[in-house]
Every structure is written in C-alpha cells, then in structure tokens.
C-alpha cells in the first residue's frame, strides 16, 4: 500500500488557501472549448471534502434559480485556476448534507468570528 | 516483442496532460534477470526466460539453485518464458522498468480473481427471466432452456451453465503507460488489470 501512497504523493498539489466545510468559496475553473480556453466562476458553500492525493475532492453547493446545484471539484485538478474564500462558516459537522433539505433563511450558515 | 514480470500493487488515479483524472494501476515491475536463453538449435524453439522476486535460499531446491547459479544470481520466485524477444539477450542480463517509456501501449497478462461457483447471470451474462410478474416466482436468475427435445436428445457440449468462475489467465490489451519511476521500479498504467493485489503479472510491449 505504501507504493500507492508514493504515487499519490507525486501528484502536483494546487496551492489553494485552506478552506473547510461551511465556507463560501468562488472556484475559478478552466473550461476548454475546442482550442479556446476560458475561466468560469462558480460560487457556493463547501458541503464536504473527501479523499486524498489525486482523488481528493470537495463539493460546492449553491442555489441557482431556486434549484439546488452541487458540483464536485478535484482539489488538485490542473483545471482549477484559482480559489477564493469569501467567508468562513461556523458549522458543527464535516459533511453538511442537511443543507439539501433546507431552503431560504433556514439554509443560512453563521459566519465564523475572529481572524484566521 | 519485449516484456517483464511484475506485481500488482494497487489502484489510484493521476491527472494527464489535459487535466483529466485517469484511473490507473500501480505495478512494481522488475528488476528481472535473464536466467536462460533457449535457441532453436538446442531446445527446438527460441525464448528468453526471466526470473523475478527474491526467494529465500532455504526454500530453494538444489536443482533450482544450480539453475540460478548459472545466471550468477540469487534465487527467485517467479520464472516466465518469453517467445519472440526483439533484441538478443545474454544470460545474467538485468531488465528493469526502464524498458518502458511514458506513452507506450502495453498488454498485461494476469490471473483473474477467483469468484467461486457462480450462476449463468454473473458467469455468462445471461439476462435471467426478466420479469417478476405474470406468475413468475422462483426462476429470476435461471438459465432457461438447454436445447431442443427428441432431436438431438442430448445437451450439446460447451453449453454455457453455472460453474467455477475466475482464476483464469486474462490478457488486457493496449494499456497506456502513464508514469515510470525507475528508482522504485514502479509503472503506472491506465485502467485496471486482472488479479488481486500482490499477484504476478506479465507486461508485454
């Protein structure tokens, strides 16, 4: 198993700011259309982080036109151009699946106080 | 053709140049020692015998010790013969994972995991009965008819039925080499390969 770990460690890491479940982030994601490349922004709440190495992912949830949208990004994907942390959320669990059942004012997350 | 013996380490994924996440298998390949070179004149056919994986001396029989001594090497666990080797090999030569370069397409031969006694749905891909209604109650994964009636009055040989599954020699073709780590003797190959972790595999180019 150590040798699989070795291969995982060879994956180039993205230099992203630290972020946790509950944080609101903006992901700048490179999209290739034929030969052209453009950058798309996607803003929402991080509801989970999962895996290690090349398999490490995080899920960002947002509500678009009253429809919940969740998008899974690989943390170390070369296609992530930039990640901004817009606000830090004060949450009590690692996986915020409960947000899926909530809408409107109930779906808000309290902002963490203090400096990080 | 050229080849090497390896061991399946496990699976993970890597990013390719386009940024796509590719599922891959990690293989520890070599170093292999040429322990015998067979020729048409002496043996009736040409082949190269490779040996891989260290073995304790006390577990090696005297005849095998002599065989390894000829190649001036220590005892090895796995011996495989390769026919139609491209370049001439001499006895005692060492072949490493550097035989392969990134982007090469290779074939991997291994022994698939044993599945035990399996029915026709899993073993041969039969569809089963299909419906749970219309009075059907106990034949969901049954094979159905085995053939006709008074002619031929027998079940043809080779009729696909339930039985032992897995544990077969399986070759997977055209797997791309994604990474080579010569220091650790590691190869990263796209996709999956047959067998359990730690089982021997043969890599052919």
């Amino acid at each position: 198993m150590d040798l699989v770990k070795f291969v995982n460690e060879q994956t180039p890491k993205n230099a992203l700011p630290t972020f946790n479940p509950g944080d609101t982030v903006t992901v700048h994601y490179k999209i290739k259309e034929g030969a052209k490349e453009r950058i798309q922004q996607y803003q929402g709440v991080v509801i989970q982080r999962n895996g290690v190495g090349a398999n490490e992912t995080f899920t960002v949830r947002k509500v678009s036109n009253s429809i919940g949208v969740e998008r899974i990004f690989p943390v170390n994907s070369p296609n992530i151009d930039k990640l901004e942390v817009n606000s830090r959320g004060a949450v009590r669990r690692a996986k915020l699946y409960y947000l899926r059942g909530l809408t409107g004012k109930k779906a808000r997350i309290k902002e963490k106080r203090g400096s990080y | 053709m050229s080849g090497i013996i390896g061991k399946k380490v496990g699976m993970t994924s890597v990013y390719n140049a386009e940024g796509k996440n590719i599922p891959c298998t990690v293989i520890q390949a070599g170093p292999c020692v040429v322990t015998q070179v067979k020729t048409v004149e002496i043996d009736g056919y040409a082949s190269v015998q490779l040996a891989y994986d260290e073995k304790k001396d006390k577990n090696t029989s005297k005849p095998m010790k002599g065989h390894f001594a000829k190649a001036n090497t220590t005892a090895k666990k796995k011996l495989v013969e390769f026919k139609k080797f491209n370049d001439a090999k001499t006895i005692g030569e060492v072949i490493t994972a550097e035989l392969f370069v990134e982007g090469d397409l290779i074939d991997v031969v291994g022994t698939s995991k044993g599945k035990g006694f399996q029915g026709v749905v899993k073993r041969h891909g039969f569809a089963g009965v299909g419906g749970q209604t219309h009075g059907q109650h106990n034949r969901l994964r049954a094979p159905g008819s085995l053939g006709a009636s008074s002619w031929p009055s027998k079940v043809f040989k080779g009729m696909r039925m339930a039985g032992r599954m897995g544990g077969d020699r399986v070759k997977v073709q055209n797997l791309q080499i994604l990474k080579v780590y010569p220091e650790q003797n590691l190869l990263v190959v796209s996709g999956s390969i047959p067998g359990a972790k730690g089982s021997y595999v043969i890599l052919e180019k």
Side-chain angles (χ1 to χ4, degrees):
Chain A
M1 216 45 211
D2 278 340
L3 293 168
V4 174
K5 210 174 162 187
F6 166 79
V7 174
N8 281 337
E9 282 164 2
Q10 303 302 309
T11 308
K13 299 270 182 294
N14 275 340
L16 302 180
T18 53
F19 62 100
N20 293 310
D23 297 351
T24 304
V25 296
T26 309
V27 183
H28 298 249
Y29 200 73
K30 290 178 205 160
I31 290 183
K32 283 196 184 106
E33 291 166 333
K36 267 191 188 170
E37 194 181 89
R38 64 186 177 85
I39 287 173
Q40 193 185 60
Q41 295 180 8
Y42 184 91
Q43 191 182 39
V45 180
V46 179
I47 65 165
Q48 69 164 329
R49 294 191 64 153
N50 204 348
V52 287
N55 300 321
E56 192 178 356
T57 59
F58 61 99
T59 306
V60 182
R61 178 182 169 87
K62 72 170 179 181
V63 177
S64 170
N65 297 328
S66 77
I67 293 171
V69 180
E70 280 178 20
R71 204 163 155 189
I72 301 170
F73 296 98
V75 172
N76 294 314
S77 167
N79 286 334
I80 290 187
D81 184 52
K82 193 165 70 166
L83 184 138
E84 286 169 27
V85 180
N86 306 114
S87 71
R88 306 272 178 186
V91 290
R92 290 183 163 208
R93 52 211 77 220
K95 316 280 178 187
L96 310 179
Y97 301 139
Y98 68 87
L99 283 180
R100 290 171 178 165
L102 303 178
T103 51
K105 283 189 175 179
K106 283 229 160 122
R108 284 176 303 179
I109 287 179
K110 242 191 236 168
E111 195 163 346
K112 237 181 197 177
R113 302 172 76 184
S115 59
Y116 296 94
Chain B
M1 193 202 91
S2 56
I4 197 169
I5 314 166
K7 227 183 210 180
K8 179 167 167 178
V9 174
M11 290 192 72
T12 180
S13 66
V14 294
Y15 293 104
N16 70 357
E18 284 105 59
K20 277 192 175 166
N21 199 352
I22 311 283
C24 62
T25 310
V26 182
I27 301 171
Q28 189 161 40
C32 293
V33 183
V34 178
T35 45
Q36 196 177 1
V37 180
K38 296 194 173 178
T39 55
V40 181
E41 295 81 56
I42 298 166
D43 306 283
Y45 66 100
S47 78
V48 173
Q49 187 189 66
L50 299 186
Y52 170 63
D53 215 9
E54 291 304 321
K55 187 180 178 182
K56 278 183 184 167
D57 232 23
K58 63 163 184 152
N59 297 334
T60 314
S61 67
K62 265 191 178 170
M64 286 315 288
K65 273 183 196 165
H67 184 67
F68 290 119
K70 268 187 205 168
N72 207 5
T73 178
T74 53
K76 301 276 190 290
K77 276 184 185 163
K78 183 81 178 168
L79 293 169
V80 176
E81 258 184 39
F82 292 81
K83 285 182 180 175
K84 297 172 188 164
F85 238 66
N86 277 349
D87 34 351
K89 295 285 172 198
T90 52
I91 195 161
E93 208 176 321
V94 178
I95 302 176
T96 63
E98 281 168 306
L99 178 70
F100 304 105
V101 285
E102 278 175 34
D104 277 356
L105 292 178
I106 62 163
D107 299 345
V108 179
V109 182
T111 307
S112 62
K113 280 185 185 173
K115 302 279 188 278
F117 192 98
Q118 293 296 335
V120 288
V121 172
K122 188 183 178 85
R123 194 172 181 223
H124 298 298
F126 283 20
V129 162
Q132 294 197 343
T133 54
H134 298 295
Q136 195 292 113
H137 76 108
N138 62 356
R139 326 203 52 76
L140 204 58
R141 297 171 73 88
S145 171
L146 296 182
S149 180
S150 59
W151 188 89
S153 287
K154 63 174 179 179
V155 175
F156 287 122
K157 278 191 176 172
M159 184 63 61
R160 291 173 298 165
M161 293 192 199
R164 285 275 183 97
M165 186 184 168
D168 306 318
R169 180 191 159 98
V170 178
K171 182 187 263 189
V172 186
Q173 294 181 312
N174 290 328
L175 299 178
Q176 197 175 23
I177 303 258
L178 300 173
K179 292 263 163 59
V180 182
Y181 300 108
E183 277 168 32
Q184 286 82 7
N185 297 311
L186 282 188
L187 294 173
V188 179
V189 167
S190 69
S192 58
I193 64 171
K197 287 174 196 166
S199 63
Y200 292 111
V201 289
I202 301 166
L203 317 176
E204 294 169 353
K205 187 163 87 167

